[in-house]
Amino acid sequence: MKSNFFEKVIESEEELRSLFGYPSELVNNKTITVIDHHCRDYISKSPMLFMATSGSSGACDVSPRGDAEGFVHVLDDKHLVIPERPGNRRFDSLRNILENPKVGLIFIIPGLEETLRINGHASIVKDEDILKPMEAHGKVPVIGIGVEVEECYMHCAKAFKRSHLWDDDHWLAKEILPNPSKILAQHARKLGVTPEDISKSLKESYEKRLY
């Protein structure tokens, strides 16, 4: 479908390929369908992942999940579980999974520029024997996101190299970073909350409701 805003839009794979060509043999052959020992090792060292979901309407969402390294448990060569820690209760990802179980995961390890991508079929699980080992700070997660793996593959480091993400010499000075409390107060201005109110609420949430 042609955009109402952009004038020159690519509308076919053929046109896309005419500009950029085809993937290399390595790229074509790097995907596996199980969590092998290399993927298991990567997951065991990863403290952060990003999960992409979409609902029945096609609307998409990407959500971060993070905890101590190895917080995602690999059950066997086809299944893993992500503990669901307390959040804002919007449940964007979970509601999407209920409508459309397809998920995409990107695992990252700080300092490593290559990422691990996993695609599969997700469900919301509440098996006590699976969730109990993911206890943290005395709290057992009430639910988890179980994923049946369909694809695993390494993703190259180009995006991280271009962004210099792990190079603190390229990080912005703290005093010029966006202020989340001011942004939230402005976006939710109909509630009459101030940046100070938001800052206090966030601090309390981070200190008391991480688990």
Side-chain angles (χ1 to χ4, degrees), residues 92-157:
D92 296 292
S93 299
L94 300 183
R95 288 187 290 112
N96 280 345
I97 288 170
L98 290 172
E99 296 179 4
N100 173 12
K102 293 292 188 178
V103 298
L105 310 175
I106 294 184
F107 288 86
I108 66 172
I109 297 175
L112 180 63
E113 294 177 322
E114 285 78 12
T115 56
L116 174 66
R117 293 179 60 167
I118 291 181
N119 298 317
H121 184 285
S123 54
I124 302 170
V125 302
K126 53 181 183 179
D127 307 59
E128 291 87 352
D129 57 331
I130 290 175
L131 296 170
K132 175 62 178 175
M134 291 185 280
E135 177 178 347
H137 296 262
K139 302 288 182 66
V140 177
V142 176
I143 57 175
I145 299 169
V147 178
E148 182 176 356
V149 171
E150 296 171 345
E151 292 183 312
C152 298
Y153 56 94
M154 294 299 297
H155 192 100
C156 77

Side-chain angles (χ1 to χ4, degrees), residues 39-208:
C39 296
R40 187 183 290 257
D41 180 60
Y42 194 110
I43 293 168
S44 75
K45 293 177 170 64
S46 173
M48 174 67 77
L49 66 88
F50 293 88
M51 179 170 61
T53 60
S54 64
S56 57
S57 69
C60 298
D61 181 76
V62 177
S63 175
R65 293 290 191 279
D67 211 323
E69 62 183 43
F71 74 102
V72 174
H73 282 213
V74 177
L75 303 180
D76 59 28
D77 65 358
K78 291 294 287 186
H79 299 88
L80 58 82
V81 178
I82 306 163
E84 183 68 10
R85 307 298 188 194
N88 59 17
R89 297 188 292 276
R90 280 178 53 115
F91 298 135
D92 296 292
S93 299
L94 300 183
R95 288 187 290 112
N96 280 345
I97 288 170
L98 290 172
E99 296 179 4
N100 173 12
K102 293 292 188 178
V103 298
L105 310 175
I106 294 184
F107 288 86
I108 66 172
I109 297 175
L112 180 63
E113 294 177 322
E114 285 78 12
T115 56
L116 174 66
R117 293 179 60 167
I118 291 181
N119 298 317
H121 184 285
S123 54
I124 302 170
V125 302
K126 53 181 183 179
D127 307 59
E128 291 87 352
D129 57 331
I130 290 175
L131 296 170
K132 175 62 178 175
M134 291 185 280
E135 177 178 347
H137 296 262
K139 302 288 182 66
V140 177
V142 176
I143 57 175
I145 299 169
V147 178
E148 182 176 356
V149 171
E150 296 171 345
E151 292 183 312
C152 298
Y153 56 94
M154 294 299 297
H155 192 100
C156 77
K158 289 179 181 177
F160 282 76
K161 289 186 178 299
R162 294 180 186 121
S163 65
H164 301 282
L165 186 66
W166 303 130
D167 184 356
D168 58 7
D169 287 339
H170 287 78
W171 293 356
L172 296 175
K174 288 186 177 181
E175 58 269 20
I176 65 170
L177 291 175
N179 186 313
S181 296
K182 288 183 179 179
I183 295 169
L184 283 166
Q186 179 65 27
H187 289 178
R189 57 186 177 276
K190 67 180 180 181
L191 299 178
V193 292
T194 67
E196 292 72 26
D197 294 332
I198 298 290
S199 181
K200 181 179 179 181
S201 176
L202 290 175
K203 183 175 186 294
E204 180 184 23
S205 177
Y206 297 155
E207 292 177 349
K208 298 180 180 180

